[in-house]
Amino acid sequence: MEQAQTRHWKKIWVGSAGNMVEWFDWFVYASFATYFAGSFFPKGNDTAQLMNTAGIFAVGFFMRPVGGWLLGRVGDRRGRKAALTLTVSLMSASAVLIAVAPTYAVAGYGGAFVLLVARLLQGLSVGGEYAASATYLTEASAPGRRGFASSFQYVSMTAGQILGLGLLIILQHTLTGDELHSWGWRIPFAVGALGAAVIFYLRRNMLETEAYAEDSADDSGTGADDRGTIRALLRHKREALLVIALTMGGTVAYYTYTTYLTKYLSNSAGLPKQTATLVSFCALIVFAALQPLAGALSDRIGRRPLLITFAVGSTFLTVPILTMLKHAGSFWPALGLSLLALVVVTGYTSINACVKAELFPTGVRSLGVALPYAIANALFGGTAEYVALWFKKAHLESGFYWYVAGCAAVSLVVYLTMRETRDIDLKRVGATPQGRTETDTVPAS
């Protein structure tokens, strides 16, 4: 029993640690954008420079469906371990590129092109990382603990952002503003590249999940030629569409209150950059701690109650929260409102990984999670910051608040009509719940 628990925690640790480094590299781009935006584009309006860097940030998201397809296929055909090892290799390469990218003064728009290539590689990597880690953590856990185990995906994602913000705070207090703008912003990307190299070693020695090993051995449900293919995924069109719809509201809210929050507090609320960074840092620490608690709660009461709570809260509280945040004026009011928003978002983030993994059979699970999720993120998550800045530039900033609330309202309809996934047996063909027929698992329309 004790050895089984040790193996269980080892799988969670290796899967989560790699995810943390992946998302550290992904998020430091957004966290340090205010410092390197002027390095790659001509001098001018600060908001315009941020829009340029946000545009490249969004381009990374549009590569995520490609990464979701490519690395999801690898995960279903070669194993979760192979996919996870490949994702961290791509992320390490992208971090190195950003760390050495030439500035506009040195190479004109050549530096922006290097930045773009790096974000494309990051998009490929993260497009596969989300599904590979979600699938791995879900399959590696006991049936009654899947919500708790998979919640560590967002613990590690948030930990990556916390480390990025923590490094930013340290650099803000050790370097001058001019030093940060000229060369200090390169430091986190060099750190990320080193961290990815360490994780590459750890993942080469990780254990494969039992669910994948057993499915590979007996080809139950999905033949060897079909495993990880679009053809196999199309047999689960309703589940794929469900992943897109249930992701829509959650990803917009998540990126609004994580990656965009620091810039919003600085650029719109008028807080000093150091204060805005500290607000995000403190709020994310509490947010990370909430994930396992909410995940464990879903193992007891089901996934739908948490998803519905998130969607109701995000639909009706987004406009007042963002409006009050704009006028917060100081650290404590901004922190309190940020925490309220992230508590609401926890209803989605803590369990969305296992909910998606529970919808698909083993032979197409990685691709089934990766591709629809990446499409939703490209359309809604990756563009959230750009849409926010567009509304601001058009002097209609409150329009973005209603956009976020509207996306949550669409997902609310989905959560209210979908079936519960908590008791699904991952090893059954079609991810069929114990004691039910396969058709019973089809989400309600």
Side-chain angles (χ1 to χ4, degrees):
M1 181 68 175
E2 187 174 337
Q3 286 184 335
Q5 281 288 90
T6 301
R7 285 197 301 271
H8 172 66
W9 281 106
K10 182 179 180 180
K11 288 178 179 179
I12 290 178
W13 155 245
V14 175
S16 299
N19 200 41
M20 177 182 69
V21 172
E22 285 264 356
W23 290 94
F24 170 88
D25 287 336
W26 179 260
F27 280 125
V28 291
Y29 180 99
S31 299
F32 282 80
T34 55
Y35 291 101
F36 67 71
S39 297
F40 296 103
F41 301 99
K43 292 184 178 181
N45 183 276
D46 288 345
T47 300
Q49 287 184 339
L50 282 175
M51 285 188 70
N52 286 328
T53 55
I56 293 180
F57 183 76
V59 166
F61 276 85
F62 283 100
M63 284 301 292
R64 287 175 67 165
V66 180
W69 166 73
L70 177 63
L71 295 166
R73 180 181 173 88
V74 171
D76 286 327
R77 297 181 74 86
R78 303 298 180 187
R80 319 310 188 201
K81 173 182 173 179
L84 287 167
T85 303
L86 182 55
T87 60
V88 79
S89 301
L90 291 171
M91 187 59 77
S92 179
S94 67
V96 170
L97 280 177
I98 298 176
V100 301
T103 64
Y104 181 82
V106 172
Y109 283 106
F113 177 75
V114 173
L115 193 66
L116 176 62
V117 171
R119 285 301 291 179
L120 293 176
L121 287 177
Q122 285 190 336
L124 280 173
S125 175
V126 174
E129 172 67 25
Y130 174 88
S133 62
T135 302
Y136 187 84
L137 289 171
T138 302
E139 290 182 347
S141 61
R145 303 274 285 174
R146 291 199 299 254
F148 172 76
S150 64
S151 71
F152 281 88
Q153 183 182 47
Y154 269 81
V155 172
S156 57
M157 284 175 62
T158 308
Q161 190 170 6
I162 289 171
L163 289 174
L165 287 172
L167 181 56
L168 176 55
I169 291 171
I170 292 172
L171 293 177
Q172 285 174 337
H173 286 83
T174 54
L175 300 177
T176 66
D178 289 341
E179 289 172 334
L180 262 175
H181 281 89
S182 63
W183 58 268
W185 59 266
R186 297 181 186 274
I187 294 174
F189 297 104
V191 171
L194 290 174
V198 173
I199 297 303
F200 176 81
Y201 172 78
L202 291 175
R203 284 186 167 178
R204 282 182 64 104
N205 296 285
M206 71 192 302
L207 302 172
E208 188 57 84
T209 67
E210 292 180 10
Y212 179 81
E214 290 180 14
D215 187 78
S216 298
D218 61 22
D219 276 343
S220 176
T222 305
D225 292 338
D226 264 2
R227 187 178 290 119
T229 63
I230 297 294
R231 180 172 62 251
L233 179 60
L234 288 176
R235 299 192 192 107
H236 303 274
K237 291 189 290 290
R238 292 172 67 88
E239 288 83 355
L241 291 173
L242 179 61
V243 170
I244 293 174
L246 69 86
T247 300
M248 178 181 177
T251 191
V252 171
Y254 176 74
Y255 281 100
T256 296
Y257 294 120
T258 55
T259 57
Y260 180 60
L261 180 65
T262 304
K263 285 185 281 295
Y264 179 72
L265 292 175
S266 173
N267 203 27
S268 295
L271 295 180
K273 288 180 181 179
Q274 291 88 340
T275 302
T277 303
L278 187 59
V279 168
S280 294
F281 180 78
C282 295
L284 287 172
I285 289 176
V286 177
F287 178 65
L290 290 174
Q291 303 308 300
L293 299 177
L297 179 62
S298 78
D299 288 328
R300 297 180 63 87
I301 68 173
R303 320 299 189 210
R304 288 180 68 247
L306 271 71
L307 291 172
I308 292 170
T309 299
F310 150 70
V312 170
S314 191
T315 299
F316 295 103
L317 294 178
T318 293
V319 174
I321 286 176
L322 288 175
T323 300
M324 289 188 287
L325 267 175
K326 188 172 182 178
H327 302 93
S330 61
F331 173 81
W332 288 108
L335 177 61
L337 289 165
S338 300
L339 285 174
L340 175 59
L342 288 173
V343 167
V344 171
V345 175
T346 295
Y348 167 81
T349 55
S350 60
I351 58 170
N352 81 95
C354 66
V355 169
K356 294 162 189 171
E358 288 166 345
L359 291 172
F360 298 95
T362 304
V364 74
R365 183 170 295 132
S366 186
L367 180 63
V369 175
L371 187 55
Y373 171 80
I375 290 172
N377 262 271
L379 293 175
F380 304 105
T383 58
E385 183 177 321
Y386 193 86
V387 170
L389 291 169
W390 182 88
F391 274 111
K392 178 176 176 59
K393 191 175 182 181
H395 305 291
L396 297 169
E397 191 162 34
S398 62
F400 177 68
Y401 312 164
W402 291 101
Y403 169 75
V404 177
C407 289
V410 172
S411 289
L412 174 59
V413 175
V414 177
Y415 303 151
L416 289 171
T417 56
M418 68 181 285
R419 298 185 188 277
E420 180 58 62
T421 63
R422 179 187 58 177
D423 297 322
I424 282 177
D425 181 357
L426 294 180
K427 296 181 182 179
R428 295 282 299 275
V429 176
T432 306
Q434 297 177 2
R436 297 183 183 178
T437 63
E438 184 172 351
T439 56
D440 287 335
T441 65
V442 177
S445 58

